[in-house]
Amino acid sequence: LLDLYLGAGDVDRASGLAAKILARNAKHFGAAHKVANVLLEAGEPARAIPALDLVREAMTDAGEHEQLAQSLARAAERLPGRVEPREWLVELFRGTSDTFRLPAALADLSETYQTAGRHDDAKRTLEELLQRDPDNDQAHRKYEQLRARMGLGDAATHRGSQEPPVEDPGPPKTRNFVEPALDEDTQRYV
């Protein structure tokens, strides 16, 4: 029945049916995921968001991480200003410990937060990115620029830690150190 609705272009009925199927048994998320993908491919990504939201937990629980990640990435790509698919991608990559794709997802989410005027969220996201990847120079620059834009002081001294910069204590204090005398064999060797 779902395929008939989709084949006839009646996405609303297909969405309703998929939601009913999912409500009866969360393990049958395939119908709702299929509707979301059809909407993404049909150029209606905003309408796919509710269907993706319906299936996120069920797909994650079932171990269908890759399929979910692909759908969320397509939604994010087709909805450049939309925060939800990016937040969901970050949540998915955190939950699956995907340390390879998480930094890029965090950077993208931070950019979207900034565009949406959510500077505190952008700052927090960049801080997480810098904790995970402290050598990321681009993230450091963006973090410093954001702090400056937010009026949070000298951003150049803040390199990813949430603690204030520590003042330089000066040169280390030296102690008088006396070397012990070398024995005769060691002196010959030296």
Side-chain angles (χ1 to χ4, degrees):
L1 188 57
L2 181 78
D3 288 332
L4 289 174
Y5 287 152
L6 290 174
D10 194 348
V11 180
D12 292 329
R13 277 185 150 166
S15 294
L17 179 60
K20 288 178 185 176
I21 292 169
L22 190 62
R24 292 191 85 187
N25 188 343
K27 292 180 182 180
H28 296 152
F29 55 80
H33 188 237
K34 185 174 188 175
V35 169
N37 283 328
V38 166
L39 288 167
L40 287 170
E41 296 305 316
E44 298 186 54
R47 289 183 63 196
I49 293 295
L52 288 171
D53 192 21
L54 278 175
V55 300
R56 286 184 315 122
E57 186 176 339
M59 289 184 76
T60 301
D61 290 347
E64 297 293 335
H65 308 135
E66 191 56 38
Q67 287 182 341
L68 179 59
Q70 289 174 4
S71 296
L72 292 173
R74 277 198 314 253
E77 178 184 307
R78 289 175 172 89
L79 295 165
R82 195 79 182 255
V83 172
E84 295 93 337
R86 289 164 176 82
E87 288 176 330
W88 298 339
L89 267 173
V90 166
E91 183 181 312
L92 175 66
F93 294 152
R94 273 187 201 131
T96 59
S97 300
D98 189 336
T99 58
F100 181 72
R101 294 187 288 183
L102 181 57
L106 286 166
D108 186 37
L109 178 59
S110 174
E111 286 290 324
T112 306
Y113 279 148
Q114 286 185 56
T115 302
R118 295 172 57 179
H119 299 296
D120 289 333
D121 291 329
K123 181 178 168 284
R124 189 178 65 252
T125 304
L126 280 171
E127 288 170 349
E128 180 182 347
L129 174 58
L130 289 170
Q131 284 176 345
R132 293 175 181 278
D133 186 8
D135 297 329
N136 187 328
D137 290 334
Q138 183 178 7
H140 278 289
R141 280 191 302 278
K142 288 181 180 188
Y143 184 73
E144 291 165 1
Q145 291 169 353
L146 178 62
R147 282 183 49 86
R149 200 174 313 134
M150 294 173 72
L152 296 176
D154 184 14
T157 61
H158 190 83
R159 295 291 289 180
S161 71
Q162 294 182 9
E163 301 170 8
V166 177
E167 290 190 28
D168 185 13
K173 295 181 182 173
T174 59
R175 291 189 209 164
N176 291 336
F177 180 72
V178 179
E179 276 191 45
L182 300 176
D183 65 26
E184 187 177 311
D185 289 335
T186 305
Q187 285 180 354
R188 270 187 275 151
Y189 178 76
V190 173

